Amino acid sequence: MKITSEVERMKIDDDERRNVTAPAMTVSSDDDDDGTHAQNKQHDSDDTESLHSNEDEIEEGRGHVADKRNERQQENANIDGQKFEAGINCPEKIVFVLDTSYGMSRKVFGDEKALTNMTMTKKALEMFIKTKSTLNSKHEYSLIVVNDCNSPFILQDFTNDVKTIMAAIRDLDSQQEGLENNEHKEFAIDPLINFIEGNISWKRQQQKPLLDHTLRVIFINTPKQYTINTRNAVKTLKNMYGTEIFFFDSVSIMDPTVEQFNNAEFFKKMNIHKENYILAISRSQAEFFNCMSRMLAHPMQRAKLRS
């Protein structure tokens, strides 16, 4: 039997105790350190790439949102532009209705070298048409003539050619030939309203949300006692105003040497929606041109006429 010395036994016990209670310690070599650092670097690199990837995704998302915002803004701009062009600055169809009765041959404008009403009217219309066509070449013009003896008739149908409409206006002198040196003091406007209703396209196309044109009558006349004698004419006028595209402007050339009629009051009664221009001029050429200059504004943009 082998006897172990006390010293050896104590040493063995210490070794066993040390193996049981001592914490397990891992000592890494230099190679292990390099591997750990490599793993850490790889993790850092992966995290960095992930962060960059997330940033790229965020940036891409922001760009997508910005693109969508720009598209919406562009769509809105296009819509606004369409509304502005088609709803407000849409082309006008302008009907000049000219009184060719004997009163237009009177010399009202000027003193020494007086000009007749018709001569001044042609000059003012030439200025108006040339300027208006410069603003928008798509504007169209038509010419209807009325007098005391004959029913209204179209002297020139709608055209956007300035030379064509001006040639028709220059031909107005021939419309006065043969008129007697007198004129009726009362003028029923019913035939004119019915003529416009039956011969001019004044109805708005309801399926279109925006207006593609407006229709404006500019009636240049001499002093008379204008009347509307039938309910049908009043109803027709209200229907035309109800389309939102119809306007009726009036320019009365007053003559101080003859009996005066209150044309302005009559045309104001026709001004149902208060958007029409009812103007009167007398003797002054500058006043006539100024009057037609006021007429240049688009009827859907201009200010309401003050009393």
Side-chain angles (χ1 to χ4, degrees):
M1 182 175 180
K2 186 175 180 180
I3 300 173
T4 304
S5 66
E6 187 68 21
V7 176
E8 290 176 348
R9 190 165 50 251
M10 292 176 63
K11 183 177 180 181
I12 292 172
D13 293 339
D14 290 339
D15 292 337
E16 291 176 354
R17 192 182 301 108
R18 190 179 298 112
N19 291 333
V20 173
T21 59
M25 304 205 35
T26 302
V27 179
S28 300
S29 63
D30 293 339
D31 293 336
D32 292 338
D33 289 342
D34 292 339
T36 301
H37 288 310
Q39 291 179 355
N40 292 338
K41 289 181 179 179
Q42 182 65 35
H43 287 308
D44 292 342
S45 176
D46 293 341
D47 292 341
T48 302
E49 291 179 0
S50 177
L51 180 60
H52 288 320
S53 177
N54 291 338
E55 290 178 350
D56 292 340
E57 291 178 0
I58 293 172
E59 208 52 47
E60 183 179 355
R62 288 175 179 171
H64 181 69
V65 171
D67 292 340
K68 287 293 185 182
R69 187 185 300 114
N70 291 336
E71 289 177 6
R72 286 196 299 270
Q73 290 175 351
Q74 186 63 38
E75 290 175 359
N76 293 336
N78 291 337
I79 292 174
D80 291 342
Q82 184 181 13
K83 285 182 178 179
F84 182 76
E85 180 179 0
I88 297 180
N89 274 345
C90 54
E92 286 188 70
K93 291 188 175 182
I94 301 174
V95 182
F96 298 113
V97 178
L98 298 188
D99 176 8
T100 59
S101 61
Y102 181 77
M104 291 294 283
S105 63
R106 288 198 180 98
K107 294 184 177 182
V108 175
F109 295 93
D111 295 323
E112 296 180 0
K113 295 181 179 180
L115 300 176
T116 65
N117 294 343
M118 182 59 71
T119 300
M120 275 303 305
T121 297
K122 291 192 292 185
K123 289 179 177 292
L125 287 182
E126 182 177 5
M127 178 276 295
F128 177 91
I129 293 171
K130 288 182 177 180
T131 306
K132 193 72 175 175
S133 297
T134 301
L135 297 175
N136 189 339
S137 61
K138 294 182 180 180
H139 292 320
E140 297 182 10
Y141 313 92
S142 177
L143 179 61
I144 295 177
V145 296
V146 296
N147 57 46
D148 299 332
C149 304
N150 302 319
S151 299
F153 65 94
I154 298 176
L155 191 61
Q156 172 62 52
D157 204 352
F158 282 111
T159 178
N160 61 355
D161 185 79
V162 174
K163 293 182 179 180
T164 300
I165 187 64
M166 286 308 305
I169 291 174
R170 294 189 192 101
D171 191 47
L172 285 171
D173 287 334
S174 64
Q175 304 302 319
Q176 293 184 280
E177 295 178 0
L179 292 178
E180 297 179 3
N181 188 8
N182 61 59
E183 58 181 332
H184 299 87
K185 295 181 179 180
E186 183 173 329
F187 187 97
I189 205 168
D190 306 50
L192 175 60
I193 295 174
N194 294 330
F195 183 82
I196 293 173
E197 188 268 343
N199 294 275
I200 306 297
S201 178
W202 54 270
K203 292 184 179 180
R204 176 180 178 180
Q205 297 181 2
Q206 298 295 339
Q207 68 271 22
K208 293 185 178 182
L210 301 177
L211 303 180
D212 53 8
H213 75 278
T214 60
L215 175 65
R216 178 158 51 131
V217 172
I218 299 180
F219 184 25
I220 300 179
N221 56 86
T222 54
K224 293 181 182 68
Q225 186 177 354
Y226 288 99
T227 60
I228 297 181
N229 297 334
T230 63
R231 293 183 179 179
N232 181 62
V234 176
K235 182 179 179 180
T236 300
L237 192 61
K238 288 183 177 180
N239 289 339
M240 288 192 290
Y241 282 141
T243 63
E244 300 178 355
I245 73 169
F246 181 75
F247 300 85
F248 191 104
D249 295 337
S250 170
V251 180
S252 297
I253 304 174
M254 310 304 291
D255 187 349
T257 64
V258 300
E259 184 180 359
Q260 296 295 291
F261 295 96
N262 198 349
N263 294 6
E265 287 301 318
F266 169 79
F267 288 112
K268 284 178 182 178
K269 292 178 182 178
M270 292 180 57
N271 191 7
I272 298 172
H273 59 18
K274 309 299 181 184
E275 298 291 343
N276 301 323
Y277 272 22
I278 310 301
L279 304 174
I281 55 176
S282 176
R283 302 190 67 84
S284 172
Q285 298 183 31
E287 186 179 359
F288 201 164
F289 285 112
N290 181 57
C291 169
M292 295 307 296
S293 296
R294 296 176 68 182
M295 293 284 186
L296 286 171
H298 196 287
M300 299 187 72
Q301 289 180 310
R302 64 191 184 185
K304 291 184 179 181
L305 185 67
R306 295 182 179 180
S307 300

